[in-house]
Amino acid sequence: MCLGIPGQIVAITDEPRQMGMAEVSGVRREVSLACVADRPLSDLIGEWVLIHVGFAMAVIDEKEAEETLEALRGLGEAQETLEQMAEGDRALAGGM
């Protein structure tokens, strides 16, 4: 099963590489914005996107993001995904 999870773009981290920082329920992770770069990247700050394996796959509206996050929480999948992201971030931080 493929799981896409909503996140909000909070910063552009590397414009030439089309990378940005997304926040998902308080967890921040760098994602590729290449699939949604149909406008200046700075215009994506504050937008909600559907994230899958490190790529922002589509821009979605805030209501859809909230409904999706709530449904995922109800299924328990969001918590598991967030824990995996946090573990990955901890591993990266420890590896530097």
Side-chain angles (χ1 to χ4, degrees):
M1 176 175 117
C2 295
L3 176 65
I5 191 162
Q8 189 172 34
I9 303 301
V10 296
I12 304 304
T13 57
D14 187 340
E15 193 160 354
R17 290 182 44 234
Q18 297 182 318
M19 299 296 288
M21 186 64 62
E23 185 170 316
V24 180
S25 297
V27 176
R28 290 185 176 206
R29 178 176 204 133
E30 192 172 43
V31 298
S32 172
L33 302 174
C35 296
V36 295
D38 60 350
R39 60 187 107 175
L41 293 183
S42 61
D43 290 353
L44 290 171
I45 295 173
E47 292 281 356
W48 285 89
V49 294
L50 190 60
I51 301 167
H52 178 67
V53 294
F55 289 86
M57 302 302 293
V59 176
I60 60 175
D61 64 43
E62 185 173 2
K63 182 177 187 234
E64 182 180 355
E66 289 173 3
E67 290 172 354
T68 302
L69 284 169
E70 186 58 36
L72 291 172
R73 281 187 197 101
L75 296 172
E77 293 179 4
Q79 185 61 40
E80 179 180 304
T81 300
L82 291 173
E83 289 171 1
Q84 290 171 352
M85 288 172 62
E87 286 176 15
D89 289 344
R90 283 191 296 273
L92 286 173
M96 294 182 169

